[in-house]
């Protein structure tokens, strides 16, 4: 099975209830449709082109690069955006609103997904799974998209918990993904090669240079860490917390579901556990929510047992999560639903996949439509249906 062979194979639209007015108010609201561009990259471009500070843009969520997405954003009314249409995006001015959009200010997202290159022998199993997905749902894991900051399975936040600030900074300054520019990769390789003489380096990339300059000045890795971009620091904290939550939910399912019904599917940080079906007792035994891990979690007995097992494997304790005094960052406690049930779910009849069939009439495509609450991943639905 193949996803996102074409940008139009994956469509996402925010479900939002902005209060709009024709009368001028504090903020302008826009509808943004983009193709092949990650949200933050586009906002950075609009900021530079229109001379609007990036902090003034209000967005409710970050949307995938490899998709056609529709989402909302706000800017203070005193600013103007010159061009509403360029290659890769279109914007529509909707009106005025009293409030700036913030991350999380949405009800959910609607998805239209075309899965391709499905073999004929796989169709019956997919159809059977689709019949129960609204009733029994899927595990509400964080998927690989959440972990773009994690390179080589190294978590900066775990280094902070263990007070290994040099390693935390080293990961930031030297680890890179295939999506970074060649110039950034080159400088990060240079930093790694000269780590023992880092104070002598001159780096052009501003976000890297300020961290190195702080270490030159203070000779303290914790002070160098504090010079990392604030959005990056927030991302690395949430990435580790999300990974730990996934590990907890895997143990919840092992404790509450007949093991013969469980199977695993790979993702970027290992594997996730899914279930084939659930009976009434299992549905009752699975808690509705599970808390994210923080030193302030205050878990019940069931949660505490799960959390202790996960943290023991990580070699850390709950008390060590209290990192705010040293780093300025902290782990927030919130409850997340363990099971994810799509609404308005529909699946088309299989049709011949024109991209992969090559005239053999043995490769099919299927269109999925559904809505999910905010913070949930559509790829959990596709993982359940297509086992990948």
């Amino acid at each position: 099975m193949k996803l996102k062979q074409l940008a139009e194979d994956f469509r996402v639209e925010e479900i939002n209830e902005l209060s709009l007015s024709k009368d001028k108010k504090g903020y302008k609201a826009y509808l943004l449709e983009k193709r092949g561009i990650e949200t933050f990259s586009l906002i950075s471009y609009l900021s530079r082109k229109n001379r609007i500070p990036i902090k003034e843009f209000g967005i409710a969520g970050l949307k995938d690069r490899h998709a056609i997405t529709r989402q909302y954003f706000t800017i203070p009314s005193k600013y103007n955006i010159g061009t509403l249409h360029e290659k890769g995006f279109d914007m529509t001015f909707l009106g005025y609103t009293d409030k700036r959009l913030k991350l999380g200010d949405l009800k959910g997202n609607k998805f239209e997904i075309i899965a391709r290159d499905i073999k004929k022998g796989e169709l019956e199993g997919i159809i059977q799974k689709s019949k129960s997905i609204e009733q029994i749902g899927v595990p509400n894991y964080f998927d690989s998209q959440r972990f773009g900051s994690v390179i080589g399975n190294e978590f900066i936040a775990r280094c902070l918990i263990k007070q290994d600030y040099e390693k935390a900074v080293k990961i930031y300054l030297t680890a890179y993904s295939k999506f970074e520019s060649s110039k950034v990769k080159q400088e990060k390789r240079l930093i790694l090669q000269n780590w023992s003489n880092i104070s002598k380096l001159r780096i052009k990339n501003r976000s890297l240079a300020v961290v190195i300059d702080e270490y030159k000045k203070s000779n303290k890795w914790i002070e160098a860490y504090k010079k990392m971009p604030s959005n990056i620091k927030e991302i690395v904290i949430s990435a580790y917390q999300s990974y730990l939550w996934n590990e907890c939910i895997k143990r919840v399912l092992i404790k509450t579901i007949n093991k013969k019904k469980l199977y695993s599917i790979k993702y970027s940080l290992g594997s996730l556990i899914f279930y084939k079906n659930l009976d009434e007792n299992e549905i009752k035994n699975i808690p509705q929510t599970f808390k994210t891990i923080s030193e302030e979690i205050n878990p019940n007995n069931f949660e505490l047992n799960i959390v202790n097992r996960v943290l023991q494997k990580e070699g850390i304790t709950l008390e060590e999560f209290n990192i705010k005094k040293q780093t300025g960052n902290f782990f927030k406690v919130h409850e997340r639903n363990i099971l994810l049930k799509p609404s308005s779910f529909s699946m088309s009849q299989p049709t011949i996949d024109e991209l992969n069939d090559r005239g053999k009439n043995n490769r099919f495509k299927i269109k999925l439509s559904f809505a999910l609450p905010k913070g949930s991943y559509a790829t959990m639905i596709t993982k359940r249906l297509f086992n990948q």
Side-chain angles (χ1 to χ4, degrees):
M1 188 275 299
K2 295 177 181 176
L3 290 177
K4 302 180 181 179
Q5 277 196 279
L6 303 174
E8 54 265 34
D9 286 349
F10 204 99
R11 296 177 181 267
V12 188
E13 181 174 352
E14 280 184 357
I15 304 171
N16 210 314
E17 295 181 346
L18 278 171
S19 178
L20 297 171
S21 171
K22 293 181 180 178
D23 298 326
K24 189 170 183 178
K25 295 188 177 183
Y27 296 89
K28 294 176 179 176
Y30 294 83
L31 175 64
L32 167 65
E33 181 172 304
K34 63 182 184 62
R35 302 165 292 282
I37 310 172
E38 189 268 330
T39 303
F40 195 76
S41 297
L42 179 54
I43 295 299
S44 297
Y45 169 75
L46 294 174
S47 169
R48 293 192 305 270
K49 181 165 185 179
N50 296 282
R51 297 183 179 180
I52 303 172
I54 196 166
K55 66 180 181 180
E56 299 284 23
F57 285 82
I59 55 174
L62 300 176
K63 295 292 183 286
D64 203 326
R65 173 183 179 183
H66 303 288
I68 294 178
T69 68
R70 288 164 61 88
Q71 66 185 114
Y72 301 89
F73 76 89
T74 59
I75 56 172
S77 293
K78 65 181 180 180
Y79 295 112
N80 293 306
I81 289 182
T83 304
L84 298 181
H85 310 282
E86 287 190 30
K87 183 180 179 181
F89 70 87
D90 295 284
M91 291 183 289
T92 303
F93 173 65
L94 300 175
Y96 295 93
T97 185
D98 286 323
K99 294 182 179 179
R100 176 184 185 271
L101 275 177
K102 297 182 294 184
L103 283 174
D105 283 348
L106 71 162
K107 293 183 65 178
N109 294 284
K110 293 187 289 186
F111 297 88
E112 286 188 358
I113 298 171
I114 296 176
R116 296 181 179 273
D117 201 24
I118 301 169
K119 298 175 183 177
K120 188 173 183 179
E122 297 171 333
L123 292 174
E124 183 57 34
I126 293 168
I127 292 169
Q128 290 303 316
K129 290 177 185 176
S130 71
K131 292 179 180 178
S132 62
I133 203 162
E134 279 191 292
Q135 286 71 46
I136 65 172
V138 300
N140 192 24
Y141 295 118
F142 296 93
D143 207 354
S144 301
Q145 304 95 298
R146 183 78 163 190
F147 306 107
S149 64
V150 184
I151 301 171
N153 283 14
E154 293 278 13
F155 291 94
I156 291 177
R158 188 180 184 280
C159 299
L160 300 178
I161 290 171
K162 300 304 292 182
Q163 298 186 20
D164 190 347
Y165 304 125
E166 179 179 356
K167 187 175 180 180
V169 174
K170 188 174 184 179
I171 294 170
Y172 171 69
L173 291 177
T174 66
Y176 55 84
S177 72
K178 62 182 179 180
F179 302 110
E180 293 187 77
S181 71
S182 58
K183 290 183 179 179
V184 170
K185 291 177 183 176
Q186 185 177 357
E187 291 208 307
K188 287 190 171 185
R189 286 194 291 264
L190 180 64
I191 294 169
L192 180 59
Q193 291 165 4
N194 295 275
W195 188 255
S196 59
N197 294 306
I198 193 171
S199 295
K200 297 180 180 179
L201 287 178
R202 291 189 176 183
I203 298 299
K204 294 181 180 179
N205 182 281
R206 182 62 182 162
S207 63
L208 303 179
V210 294
V211 176
I212 295 173
D213 289 344
E214 178 58 39
Y215 180 69
K216 291 178 184 178
K217 183 174 68 174
S218 67
N219 201 35
K220 294 180 179 179
W221 290 112
I222 182 59
E223 298 303 321
Y225 166 78
K226 291 177 182 178
K227 290 296 183 179
M228 285 170 48
S230 58
N231 64 313
I232 298 296
K233 289 187 287 187
E234 291 175 9
I235 286 170
V236 301
I237 294 293
S238 66
Y240 190 50
Q241 194 174 46
S242 300
Y243 167 74
L244 293 176
W245 193 88
N246 281 358
E247 293 299 297
C248 288
I249 301 314
K250 287 159 63 174
R251 292 187 178 275
V252 169
L253 299 183
I254 290 171
K255 275 183 168 286
T256 55
I257 300 174
N258 186 325
K259 291 180 176 58
K260 293 180 180 179
K261 297 180 180 181
L262 301 177
Y263 63 100
S264 62
I265 296 178
K266 291 181 179 180
Y267 84 127
S268 64
L269 297 180
S271 63
L272 300 170
I273 291 176
F274 284 73
Y275 46 81
K276 297 176 183 177
N277 53 65
L278 298 175
D279 61 35
E280 290 185 8
N281 285 332
E282 289 165 337
I283 292 173
K284 291 178 182 178
N285 288 336
I286 298 172
Q288 184 174 348
T289 63
F290 199 94
K291 299 182 184 76
T292 56
I293 298 180
S294 161
E295 78 279 5
E296 298 179 351
I297 184 175
N298 191 24
N300 59 39
N301 289 336
F302 180 83
E303 290 172 331
L304 183 60
N305 180 267
I306 297 287
V307 168
N308 283 341
R309 293 285 298 276
V310 168
L311 295 189
Q312 185 179 18
K313 185 179 177 182
E314 291 291 303
I316 55 181
T317 66
L318 265 179
E319 291 74 21
E320 289 178 298
F321 277 75
N322 188 4
I323 64 171
K324 186 174 183 180
K325 184 177 179 180
Q326 292 80 12
T327 69
N329 297 119
F330 59 95
F331 294 87
K332 301 176 184 178
V333 179
H334 71 271
E335 297 198 27
R336 180 178 173 89
N337 285 342
I338 291 177
L339 301 186
L340 170 64
K341 296 181 179 180
S343 59
S344 305
F345 179 86
S346 66
M347 188 174 82
S348 71
Q349 290 296 316
T351 57
I352 295 297
D353 176 11
E354 74 284 0
L355 293 185
N356 300 290
D357 187 65
R358 299 177 183 175
K360 296 180 179 179
N361 293 331
N362 64 1
R363 289 292 188 272
F364 296 84
K365 65 179 180 180
I366 291 174
K367 181 178 179 181
L368 308 173
S369 299
F370 54 89
L372 296 177
K374 66 179 181 181
S376 299
Y377 290 79
T379 44
M380 286 301 130
I381 306 298
T382 60
K383 277 179 165 62
R384 165 67 177 137
L385 293 174
F386 305 112
N387 289 345
Q388 64 183 75

